[in-house]
Amino acid sequence: MMITSILLMAGKGERMNKDINKVLLELGNKKIFEYSLYKLLKYTDEVICVVSKNDYDEVIKLLPSEVKVTIGGKTRGESVFNGLKMASYDNIIIHDSARPFLDEKLLKDIKKDFDEYDAILTYNECKDTIYLNDLELNVLNRDKLIRAITPQCGKKDILIEAYMKAVEENKTFTDDISLILNYYPNIKISTIKASDNLFKITTPIDYELAKLIWREYD
Ligand code: CTP
Ligand code: MG
């Protein structure tokens, strides 16, 4: 079974407050995006990097020749769709390069689930108590909550169909699995609990935390 990985790196990293895209920041002896890049190159059959126009010249110099490259869009969804159009294989892994700490076990579990499921959602447990911030301040039952992270995975045909519909209807979704579920509510989805280390580097404190653990993933 063959897998294409779409590695998203076409954001601006505004919440990091640096003058460059956060995924190009140094972490140990490489850049943030290179951690997930090399794991995906090792465990999947094709990697497509989705890069912004701004970063293209710098990034292209750092990529091994077998990596495919395409330009991202204004939203994360547009960036995913651009990557999907270049995918060669039927099984797709979509990953945020801002989550550098992918591990081998997770990628192996995903590979197994592609045999049985149409899509795969990875998640972290919810550590906080969550309220709806409305007049009633209803508390949500934490045992029933999960936090969606990436990798998010699906069959190429389903993802492309769903993304085309979303474009037609001018709808945006905050992640890929919710987009798939909106158009294909009955497909078989597996959920895999991932390590807390797969957190997303979003603000400066996340970057500081990453500096403490990168060696485990070098
Ligand atoms: N991403 C992308 N194309 C976009 C927006 C985001 O490929 N138009 C990617 C980012 O590079 C990141 C991942 O999607 O790896 C998750 O997005 P996020 O953490 O929000 O990153 P940024 O959008 O870059 O950060 P911010 O929202 O703070 O500007
Ligand atoms: Mg963003």
Side-chain angles (χ1 to χ4, degrees):
M1 178 230 308
M2 306 285 270
I3 301 177
T4 293
S5 298
I6 296 174
L7 185 63
L8 297 173
M9 46 190 297
K12 292 202 179 91
E14 281 174 338
R15 286 169 288 178
M16 185 59 75
N17 261 317
K18 293 273 191 321
D19 46 13
I20 58 167
N21 180 356
K22 64 185 179 183
V23 300
L24 302 181
L25 291 170
E26 304 285 338
L27 183 61
N29 45 30
K30 37 188 186 277
K31 298 192 188 292
I32 288 175
F33 79 90
E34 292 178 287
Y35 286 81
S36 44
L37 169 67
Y38 285 100
K39 286 279 156 56
L40 292 169
L41 275 171
K42 186 165 175 197
Y43 292 102
T44 68
D45 305 286
E46 174 181 68
V47 177
I48 300 168
C49 279
V50 187
V51 177
S52 71
K53 271 206 192 97
N54 250 343
D55 298 334
Y56 186 87
D57 291 339
E58 183 182 351
V59 170
I60 201 87
K61 284 185 256 166
L62 298 167
L63 296 177
S65 58
E66 69 266 36
V67 175
K68 289 189 179 177
V69 185
T70 189
I71 299 293
K74 275 198 293 295
T75 63
R76 182 183 179 282
E78 282 177 46
S79 295
V80 173
F81 196 31
N82 289 354
L84 279 171
K85 289 174 193 161
M86 297 184 81
S88 309
Y89 303 119
D90 289 340
N91 304 288
I92 309 287
I93 291 181
I94 299 161
H95 186 60
D96 296 337
S97 63
R99 299 180 187 276
F101 305 132
L102 271 175
D103 60 75
E104 177 184 349
K105 182 179 180 298
L106 183 67
L107 291 169
K108 286 184 172 164
D109 287 347
I110 286 171
K111 200 166 196 169
K112 257 187 254 150
D113 279 359
F114 266 129
D115 283 332
E116 247 188 276
Y117 297 91
D118 299 315
I120 303 159
L121 171 67
T122 61
Y123 70 92
N124 284 153
E125 278 171 345
C126 211
K127 296 181 197 165
D128 302 312
T129 298
I130 312 274
Y131 286 77
L132 283 178
N133 191 11
D134 57 13
L135 286 178
E136 274 130 46
L137 280 181
N138 285 309
V139 66
L140 303 179
N141 181 355
R142 189 167 70 194
D143 297 338
K144 290 197 167 174
L145 297 176
I146 55 174
R147 290 188 298 123
I149 62 169
T150 73
Q152 295 202 350
C153 317
K155 299 291 174 185
K156 181 168 71 176
D157 298 349
I158 294 175
L159 276 164
I160 287 183
E161 286 275 313
Y163 267 97
M164 285 195 331
K165 286 185 181 158
V167 170
E168 263 167 42
E169 296 174 9
N170 205 8
K171 272 195 189 164
T172 51
F173 294 83
T174 50
D175 74 337
D176 311 294
I177 297 293
S178 64
L179 175 143
I180 292 180
L181 277 172
N182 184 70
Y183 296 106
Y184 299 93
N186 299 318
I187 65 163
K188 275 182 81 180
I189 302 194
S190 93
T191 53
I192 304 179
K193 180 165 132 50
S195 159
D196 283 342
N197 291 1
L198 205 48
F199 67 90
K200 183 158 67 73
I201 300 182
T202 307
T203 61
I205 190 70
D206 304 317
Y207 184 32
E208 294 307 312
L209 184 57
K211 288 174 189 167
L212 298 175
I213 63 169
W214 63 268
R215 279 179 188 81
E216 283 175 54
Y217 295 86
D218 196 19

